Amino acid sequence: MSDIPAGAGTPDEAAAASTWQSNPPGSIYDYIRVASFSLGPDGRIEQWSDRAAELLGIPAHAAVGKDPIDAFVPGELRDLGHRKIAEIMDGREWVGLVPFRAIEGAGPHGLAEVYVMPARAEDGGRGAVCIVVDVRALRSIETDLAASQAVFGQSPMGFILFGADLRILRANARFASVFGGTIDSHRGRSPADYLPRGEAERLTGALRQVMESGNPVTELQLMGAVPGDQERHRWSVNLFRLHSASGRPIGVAGLATDVTRRRNAEREAASARRNLALLNAAGARIGNSLDLETTARELLDVAVPQFCDLASVDLYQGLLVGDEAPPGLADGSAELRRVAFASAVSDAPVVISACTVPDDGEPRPVEVGAVHRYPFNSPCASALRTGQARVIPGQDSDDGPELGAVVQSTLAVPMVAHDTVVGLAQFSRTKGSEPFGERDTALAVELASRAAVCIDNARLYRREHERALILQRSLLPPGDPEAAGLDIACRYLPGTTATEVGGDWFDVIELPGHRTALVVGDVMGRGLRAAVAMGELRTAVRTLALLDLEPAEVLSALDEIARGLGAPGGSYGGAAASRAASRNGGSGEAASDLSEVYLATCVYAVYDPVTRRCTFANAGHLPPALVEPGEPALMLEVPTGMPLGVGGEPFEEVEVELPDGAVLALYTDGLVESRDHPLDEGLQDFRTALTNPPPSSAEGAPDPLEDLCDHVLGTLDTHHGEDDIALLMARVQGLPADSVGDWKLAPEPQSVSRAREQAREQLVAWGLESLVDTTELLVSELVTNALRYGEGEIRLRLLLDRTLVCEVWDGGLVQPRRRRARDTDEGGRGLQLVGLLSAGWGSRRTPHGKTVWFELALPGGESAAVDPVEALLSLY
């Protein structure tokens, strides 16, 4: 056979040549380390192979021709060795372990397994062929086989060996238990027999890469199914190349671990972390505004795209317009308004036919700002009706209505706050995204609930804010106050924009005789409590002003009222508090626990346009400011009394004459005092602002008071919001001399006719002929009463401004009292006539007696004059 050429051309010759080719390094003999030598007929070594020299450490020149027993076997074993050699030479085979020693310096002593086979030479002589195996190599192979079998067979992970052709050579029991069959049934299979096409191609490519490059592949993630299990499994595969003892690649080993549960746990942990992050973001970003629409947009900013791809918020229309009734109907069909929409995939809302009312038979998306209803049988209406979230499946599902073409599923989540549904939030995911699960539903409910609470708080804030505004406006003069002989301008700025109510107030009160009371006060404290106390004091001021008391008397009465507000049960003075203290063992602290201290400052001024004099009284308030034409502003020296509610000190009055064109300013401390500068500095800035007003639009004309108010507020930089601010400014005009008629009458009967004549002549001069008859009648009644019930000289005064006022003065102290006359009485109807024919009447005390007055509306004025005939007939 040695004559066969290496390059034979015929198929048979090629096959023969392939069969007889020498194997490359890496055969089994490389592992077990086999060598050979032969014995001649004389029992001596005849041939010594290179492998024997390498294995036993004895070179050929030290072995050939020698007796192997004498040369290499220890002395104590030589007799036995000679007997065995003799038996072998007689033709017997022998296998056994033979200790040997190498020549000095050639190698260590060892133990070899020798297989001796008798042989015959060409001449018929006997000899032997010996096969030698290194026992240490055999023991190492046994250990390696046992270890590999333990790892391969007992491993809890799938172990597969792929050959050079990338087909399975061997699989362990764990792999067979997963994919079925016996261990041997998997031999020869490829990855395509276990995995989907794409995954099989990935694994095949990885095997080829490892086989060619020798670089391992770790944590290769593969997806597939196993027989009898509907769940898709995920495996983590590690691949590494196998080599022979000589280093030749012989295959690829694969170690596969089922990481499905670990992957699911990781996904759940990631989902939980994402949910916690979303909730944390929701807590930080939702509810920063008290505006309903802004809160809805904040919810969508958190949800899109971190939680879903599209989202919208609908709120009940009744809630948005401020209705006090519960916002939704029980059947979920109330009107809603789309207040917010957000999308990571489209700028336009998506039609959800299950929840959209068809318009002309064609469903259309709901635009932001549109008012709509959900059909009764729709999932959205069901969510609103039941208060439970609903998952609306996508169009690929057989158990739900179709959604938009790109939407996979939608969560319809009612927004519930304090057991009240305020709206509906919808979260949608597009195809390709992970569908909503139970955790997602719970998270959506939590997000919607947080937003709903913020929206309900915003609704409550708006309601309370509107109520506070109504309260504040009801406590301040409506519109632009008007007064005879005064041009009025005012400003009110609350210290807190959250409530817009406070304890500062101002008022303009019309008094008899075209006089005007100007009031500015400040209840210590802020907010609703101060506003309520302010309202009570303001009402008391108006009531006391209509009694026409002097300014000091008004403040004294207010002081008693303020002390009564803080006492238990509303009793005036400190008696109730003292009784409470005595019941608690005389403890003043106990009494203070039962009451609140209501302290307030107030300036009360009464201006008479006839005399152009103003009377001031001050209860602990800052002094009024006065600016006379062409002069710098100054602070009036009005004695500062104790604040209202302190009690025990009388109040003083100061009367000041005000020239025409002078500007009087009353204000609260919030205008001139703040943390940024002391009070003195603020007062100086205030005087400077009053002294240097803005330029007038008309040359020589006084500055409009409205512009002056704005100038003062802007100059003092009052936007600090530390305290409430009230500013009341009045420019003095006074009544012209030709608008006043003033006469003194003697206390005699003839004065009645004289009074009528004076009144008639004055009215004709003013062009008020239509009021002559009524005025004569009422003047006659008042002068007659002054003669009958009064004392001393009588004075008649007519004042013309926006109305006609008639005053009759006398020295008597008895106030007139209106009574109802019987049908048989001849008198007693005078004051009834005055009340019926006039727009108003009354009386007040003066330093030297009293004044009785009545008021008539002017022809063509805002209020119609009383018909005298109808008034007289009403008496009967």
Side-chain angles (χ1 to χ4, degrees):
M1 288 186 221
S2 61
D3 296 330
I4 297 176
T10 67
D12 293 340
E13 291 174 344
S18 174
T19 303
W20 291 100
Q21 283 179 353
S22 63
N23 289 328
S27 67
I28 186 64
Y29 300 105
D30 292 333
Y31 291 97
I32 62 177
R33 303 185 69 186
V34 177
S36 67
F37 64 93
S38 63
L39 298 177
D42 57 358
R44 294 182 178 274
I45 297 175
E46 189 175 68
Q47 293 179 332
W48 189 259
S49 68
D50 293 340
R51 280 288 186 99
E54 177 185 352
L55 177 64
L56 301 176
I58 303 173
H61 67 83
V64 176
K66 293 186 177 181
D67 183 343
I69 302 300
D70 294 336
F72 310 120
V73 176
E76 65 272 12
L77 297 176
R78 288 177 182 175
D79 291 341
L80 177 61
H82 284 297
R83 287 196 300 273
K84 294 297 181 184
I85 288 294
E87 293 176 357
I88 292 169
M89 300 306 294
D90 289 338
R92 296 180 60 181
E93 292 185 355
W94 181 81
V95 179
L97 296 178
V98 177
F100 69 91
R101 65 173 183 227
I103 63 175
E104 191 69 26
H109 298 289
L111 181 68
E113 183 175 289
V114 181
Y115 177 31
V116 181
M117 297 173 288
R120 288 183 179 272
E122 186 177 356
D123 58 0
R126 290 183 177 276
V129 176
C130 302
I131 305 297
V132 182
V133 178
D134 187 350
V135 174
R136 291 174 301 176
L138 289 177
R139 298 293 182 266
S140 176
I141 290 174
E142 289 176 354
T143 303
D144 290 346
L145 287 175
S148 63
Q149 182 61 34
V151 172
F152 195 86
Q154 301 175 20
S155 173
M157 296 173 287
F159 217 140
I160 321 106
L161 298 181
F162 293 91
D165 58 355
L166 306 184
R167 290 184 174 272
I168 295 178
L169 293 177
R170 187 178 178 186
N172 69 347
R174 175 59 181 167
F175 183 87
S177 67
V178 173
F179 289 97
T182 63
I183 294 177
D184 294 336
S185 66
H186 294 281
R187 288 186 179 136
R189 292 187 180 184
S190 67
D193 296 322
Y194 303 96
L195 299 172
R197 180 178 177 180
E199 298 291 270
E201 291 177 352
R202 289 180 58 223
L203 178 57
T204 301
L207 289 171
R208 186 175 293 111
Q209 174 187 344
V210 172
M211 190 67 188
E212 293 175 355
S213 67
N215 297 323
V217 172
T218 59
E219 297 294 331
L220 175 64
Q221 300 290 315
L222 299 173
M223 295 286 294
V226 298
D229 193 347
Q230 298 297 326
E231 182 183 6
R232 288 177 61 84
H233 285 249
R234 179 183 292 269
W235 293 281
S236 176
V237 179
N238 296 302
L239 304 175
F240 50 93
R241 193 168 68 179
L242 299 177
H243 303 84
S244 65
S246 63
R248 179 175 64 91
I250 60 175
V252 178
L255 189 63
T257 305
D258 191 334
V259 294
T260 306
R261 292 183 179 179
R262 186 180 73 188
R263 181 64 176 175
N264 292 340
E266 290 175 352
R267 287 171 53 193
E268 290 186 2
S271 176
R273 288 193 298 269
R274 183 197 64 184
N275 293 353
L276 288 175
L278 277 175
L279 290 177
N280 183 58
R285 299 171 60 182
I286 298 177
N288 293 324
S289 169
L290 288 174
D291 179 74
L292 301 179
E293 290 82 357
T294 302
T295 302
R297 288 192 294 270
E298 290 171 347
L299 168 62
L300 301 193
D301 289 341
V302 171
V304 179
Q306 293 85 354
F307 176 69
C308 61
D309 302 312
L310 303 98
S312 63
V313 174
D314 299 325
L315 298 180
Y316 277 117
Q317 178 71 357
L319 179 144
L320 293 170
V321 299
D323 291 343
E324 292 295 331
L329 299 178
D331 59 359
S333 63
E335 285 188 340
L336 298 105
R337 185 193 303 172
R338 178 67 51 86
V339 296
F341 170 79
S343 172
V345 296
S346 170
D347 293 334
V350 175
V351 176
I352 302 177
S353 58
C355 289
T356 304
V357 180
D359 187 2
D360 300 330
E362 184 69 22
R364 296 180 182 177
V366 179
E367 301 292 338
V368 175
V371 177
H372 64 99
R373 297 175 185 267
Y374 287 119
F376 178 80
N377 293 326
S378 67
C380 295
S382 174
L384 289 169
R385 188 165 53 248
T386 61
Q388 302 295 322
R390 291 287 304 273
V391 179
I392 308 174
Q395 63 181 4
D396 293 335
S397 176
D398 297 332
D399 58 353
E402 283 193 0
L403 303 184
V406 299
V407 175
Q408 179 191 86
S409 61
T410 295
L411 270 174
V413 184
M415 305 179 70
V416 183
H418 308 121
D419 298 328
T420 300
V421 178
V422 298
L424 182 75
Q426 296 184 64
F427 307 98
S428 300
R429 287 180 178 173
T430 56
K431 292 186 172 128
S433 300
E434 186 177 352
F436 290 113
E438 293 184 5
R439 290 180 179 270
D440 296 321
T441 303
L443 176 61
V445 170
E446 179 65 22
L447 290 175
S449 176
R450 293 193 179 196
V453 171
C454 295
I455 286 174
D456 194 53
N457 290 340
R459 176 184 68 86
L460 295 175
Y461 162 77
R462 185 177 63 183
R463 185 185 67 183
E464 296 304 320
H465 183 255
E466 291 174 352
R467 291 178 176 178
L469 285 179
I470 293 173
L471 172 63
Q472 187 70 55
R473 289 165 184 165
S474 68
L475 297 177
L476 297 175
D480 297 326
E482 295 182 355
L486 292 175
D487 183 16
I488 304 291
C490 51
R491 293 289 186 272
Y492 175 79
L493 298 177
T496 115
T497 57
T499 59
E500 296 198 12
V501 296
D504 290 13
W505 90 93
F506 64 90
D507 209 344
V508 179
I509 307 169
E510 293 188 63
L511 300 178
H514 286 314
R515 295 171 304 133
T516 303
L518 303 177
V519 188
V520 167
D522 182 3
V523 175
M524 295 184 183
R526 288 191 297 179
L528 193 59
R529 174 183 174 274
V532 171
M534 176 268 284
E536 294 178 308
L537 293 178
R538 177 179 178 270
T539 302
V541 169
R542 279 191 159 264
T543 302
L544 295 170
L546 294 178
L547 295 177
D548 215 348
L549 301 177
E550 296 297 326
E553 294 177 319
V554 171
L555 294 185
S556 296
L558 276 180
D559 180 57
E560 289 293 329
I561 292 173
R563 288 198 291 164
L565 292 177
S571 59
Y572 295 101
S578 299
R579 289 194 298 270
S582 63
R583 286 195 300 270
N584 289 277
S587 172
E589 294 181 359
S592 64
D593 292 340
L594 298 174
S595 63
E596 296 181 87
V597 177
Y598 283 82
L599 296 179
T601 62
C602 180
V603 168
Y604 186 89
V606 176
Y607 172 68
D608 189 340
V610 179
T611 64
R612 291 174 174 78
R613 300 184 70 83
C614 189
T615 305
F616 296 91
N618 189 352
H621 205 80
L622 294 174
L626 178 65
V627 186
E628 296 186 6
E631 299 292 335
L634 56 88
M635 296 297 174
L636 296 179
E637 295 182 1
V638 180
T640 304
M642 299 298 292
L644 301 177
V646 175
E649 293 292 332
F651 297 98
E652 299 183 38
E653 294 180 359
V654 171
E655 190 174 63
V656 179
E657 186 172 351
L658 305 179
D660 283 348
V663 175
L664 180 66
L666 306 179
Y667 54 95
T668 56
D669 57 357
L671 181 67
V672 295
E673 186 177 21
S674 74
R675 299 189 188 98
D676 300 331
H677 53 75
L679 178 60
D680 292 342
E681 183 179 335
L683 290 174
Q684 180 58 45
D685 293 341
F686 181 41
R687 289 195 297 269
T688 302
L690 290 174
T691 303
N692 303 304
S696 176
S697 57
E699 187 176 352
D703 305 311
L705 276 185
E706 297 292 338
D707 294 345
L708 185 57
C709 282
D710 295 335
H711 170 70
V712 169
L713 294 178
T715 302
L716 297 182
D717 188 19
T718 57
H719 301 290
H720 49 75
E722 296 177 5
D723 198 0
D724 308 325
I725 295 174
L727 175 62
L728 176 62
M729 304 186 75
R731 176 174 280 118
V732 175
Q733 296 175 347
L735 285 180
D738 56 3
S739 295
V740 179
D742 196 348
W743 304 274
K744 293 183 179 181
L745 303 173
E748 56 187 16
Q750 291 81 4
S751 295
V752 176
S753 60
R754 193 175 303 116
R756 288 197 299 267
E757 292 175 3
Q758 298 289 353
R760 184 188 309 113
E761 292 176 359
Q762 186 64 65
L763 292 182
V764 170
W766 287 338
L768 301 177
E769 289 82 359
S770 60
L771 298 181
V772 169
D773 293 339
T774 302
T775 304
E776 284 188 340
L777 176 60
L778 299 185
V779 166
S780 177
E781 286 294 334
L782 294 187
V783 174
T784 301
N785 285 344
L787 289 172
R788 180 176 300 177
Y789 304 108
E791 299 177 3
E793 187 179 47
I794 299 173
R795 181 181 176 188
L796 173 64
R797 188 166 74 169
L798 296 179
L799 306 176
L800 177 63
D801 192 66
R802 291 174 296 141
T803 60
L804 176 66
V805 174
C806 176
E807 298 178 332
V808 176
W809 307 50
D810 68 76
L813 299 178
V814 179
Q815 298 290 325
R817 182 174 60 88
R818 183 177 176 178
R819 64 183 180 88
R820 180 173 295 278
R822 296 188 296 270
D823 294 342
T824 57
D825 291 343
E826 296 182 359
R829 296 183 177 85
L831 292 181
Q832 290 188 43
L833 283 174
V834 175
L836 290 172
L837 296 177
S838 67
W841 77 278
S843 67
R844 66 178 185 275
R845 291 181 300 166
T846 64
H848 306 289
K850 67 176 181 297
T851 299
V852 183
W853 57 271
F854 66 84
E855 185 176 7
L856 296 177
L858 299 180
E862 296 180 359
S863 57
V866 179
D867 185 0
V869 177
E870 293 293 335
L872 290 173
L873 291 176
S874 66
L875 291 175
Y876 302 97

